[in-house]
Amino acid sequence: MTATAQHVPTAPENPDRSRRRRIALAVGSGGLVLGIGAVVTMAAWTSTERSQADFEAGRFSIQGSADGSTFSENPGSPGLEISFDALAAKLSPGATTYAPYAVQLTAGSDYAADVTLTSSTGTGTAADALTYTIVQTPTFGCTADTTGTTLVSDQSASGTPGAEMFSLDAAGDTVYLCLQVTAGDDLAQGSTGNIEWNLTGASTAPLS
C-alpha cells in the first residue's frame, strides 16, 4: 500500500525577524547612499589680494638769460636775443664783441643735466667771416677783461661742435658764459650776419 505524502505547513515568519531584516536592508541602502556622497569633490577655498601704484613722469628743462636774472625757456628758433656790446653794430676785421649769457636748470626739474653745444648756425653775408669763443665765468658779465674756463675756442659761425660744456646739478643751478665773436680779415664793409647757438641739456641723475 502506497503511503500518501503529507503536506507539512510552513511556519509563519517571526515578526521580529522580519522587522530586523527590513532594518538591515534600510541600513544597507543608507550605506550605499553615503558611499556615493563620499566621492563628491568639494570646491576649493580662494582668497584674493590686490595692489596698485600711481606713476608720473619727471620734469626737466634748462633755460637762458641775457641779463643774469630773468630766465625763460627758448627751445625754438631764433631763440633768446643776446645783447652784445656796441661794437657788434660796427665790426671791423680783427675786432671782437662780447656778450654775457646765463643758463640754469629750471626750479621744477627732477633731474640734473649735462649741457652740450650741439650746433651753431651763421646766416647773412658776414657769417662766413665770424668766429666765436665761449668762456665759463664765475659771475655774470663779459668784457675783454673777463677770465674763466674756455669751453669752445675759435669756432666758425656755422658748425656742429658737439662740445660738452658744463653740468647743472641742482634745481636753479646757474652757469655764466661769456660769448666772444671775432670778425675775420675777410669781413666785407656793410655786411651783416647772425649767429644762433643751440645748447642741449641731457638729463642725468635724479635730484635728491
Side-chain angles (χ1 to χ4, degrees):
M1 180 177 182
T2 303
T4 302
Q6 296 184 351
H7 174 72
V8 179
T10 302
E13 185 174 10
N14 188 304
D16 290 337
R17 181 178 178 184
S18 176
R19 182 165 51 84
R20 286 194 299 271
R21 181 181 178 188
R22 288 195 302 272
I23 291 174
L25 288 173
V27 170
S29 299
L32 180 61
V33 171
L34 290 176
I36 293 174
V39 299
V40 174
T41 301
M42 297 182 64
W45 287 341
T46 62
S47 176
T48 300
E49 171 65 19
R50 299 180 186 273
S51 61
Q52 62 86 28
D54 294 327
F55 300 90
E56 182 178 352
R59 294 168 175 80
F60 161 81
S61 62
I62 60 174
Q63 53 187 185
S65 173
D67 62 9
S69 59
T70 303
F71 286 83
S72 61
E73 296 181 47
N74 305 275
S77 182
L80 178 69
E81 184 174 355
I82 299 173
S83 298
F84 278 80
D85 58 34
L87 191 57
K90 49 185 178 183
L91 284 172
S92 61
T96 299
T97 181
Y98 301 85
Y101 181 53
V103 179
Q104 74 173 13
L105 195 62
T106 56
S109 291
D110 298 310
Y111 291 83
D114 286 339
V115 179
T116 300
L117 175 62
T118 50
S119 66
S120 60
T121 303
T123 56
T125 56
D128 290 342
L130 302 178
T131 60
Y132 64 86
T133 294
I134 301 178
V135 177
Q136 183 175 343
T137 61
T139 58
F140 187 79
C142 182
T143 68
D145 298 324
T146 299
T147 60
T149 302
T150 300
L151 305 177
V152 177
S153 180
D154 297 324
Q155 173 68 46
S156 60
S158 293
T160 54
E164 294 184 7
M165 300 183 68
F166 53 85
S167 296
L168 298 170
D169 299 320
D173 189 12
T174 304
V175 167
Y176 303 110
L177 303 174
C178 177
L179 305 181
Q180 306 171 6
V181 175
T182 301
D185 294 338
D186 54 348
L187 180 69
Q189 293 189 50
S191 61
T192 60
N194 174 276
I195 302 177
E196 180 179 314
W197 291 274
N198 184 9
L199 300 180
T200 301
S203 62
T204 56
L207 300 177
S208 57

